[in-house]
Amino acid sequence: MQRIARQAQQADGFVFACTEYNYSVAPALKNILDWLSRLPDSQPLSGKPVALMGAGGGMGTSRAQYHLRQSAVFLNLQPLNKPEVFANAFAGGFDDQGNLHDEKIAALIGEQMNTLVAAIKATR
Ligand SMILES: Cc1cc2nc3c(=O)[nH]c(=O)nc-3n(C[C@H](O)[C@H](O)[C@H](O)COP(=O)(O)O)c2cc1C
């Protein structure tokens, strides 16, 4: 946890690539956010932009991502609004190794990364 806290402190922004379990955020990711929100001397997430993306079932982890946005309010994370990246993991867009072959999703991710860089520059 101390290593993650140090990395988060040093980061200018974040990419949360989240799965969805039973319509919500993967517990491991939520657990990290909860611990990072309770560090005694720092708030390593506060004020920093975060890009959200995910691959899951037919809804593309949208429900999990919207739950993440709710937690981001209290954490004072700054989630990018658009583009949203909701990928279907089971419709042929990924190969057996998990590599992405869906050109539309790849383009969205590229656009999202450019938006993240712009948001980070704007916070400096
Ligand atoms: C217990 C369980 C619940 C799941 N619930 C959802 C869900 O609500 N929505 C969704 O899109 N995918 C759901 N999935 C599919 C996962 O998001 C998908 O399997 C994802 O790639 C996670 O990787 P893993 O299967 O290796 O854990 C669920 C998978 C499991 C095992």
Side-chain angles (χ1 to χ4, degrees):
M1 193 60 221
Q2 286 176 345
R3 178 172 55 83
I4 294 173
R6 200 166 49 248
Q7 289 172 333
Q9 192 72 53
Q10 291 168 351
D12 295 318
F14 303 97
V15 177
F16 291 169
C18 73
T19 52
E20 181 173 291
Y21 292 102
N22 296 319
Y23 283 22
S24 194
V25 182
L29 175 57
K30 182 64 165 52
N31 201 28
I32 285 173
L33 296 177
D34 292 344
W35 278 104
L36 288 176
S37 73
R38 289 293 182 271
L39 296 175
D41 302 321
S42 69
Q43 288 292 321
L45 304 173
S46 184
K48 295 181 182 176
V50 56
L52 305 179
M53 65 174 71
M59 300 285 282
T61 76
S62 52
R63 291 165 295 221
Q65 290 189 39
Y66 279 104
H67 283 178
L68 263 179
R69 286 179 184 274
Q70 185 172 338
S71 295
V73 174
F74 185 73
L75 299 169
N76 197 32
L77 272 164
Q78 308 291 321
L80 306 179
N81 282 331
K82 294 203 172 196
E84 295 180 299
V85 180
F86 303 137
N88 188 324
F90 310 107
F94 295 84
D95 66 23
D96 290 346
Q97 276 72 49
N99 299 307
L100 177 65
H101 294 288
D102 183 319
E103 289 181 8
K104 282 187 185 164
I105 295 292
L108 274 178
I109 292 170
E111 189 187 332
Q112 191 187 48
M113 292 302 101
N114 288 334
T115 306
L116 179 62
V117 170
I120 287 170
K121 285 180 178 166
T123 61
R124 286 182 174 159

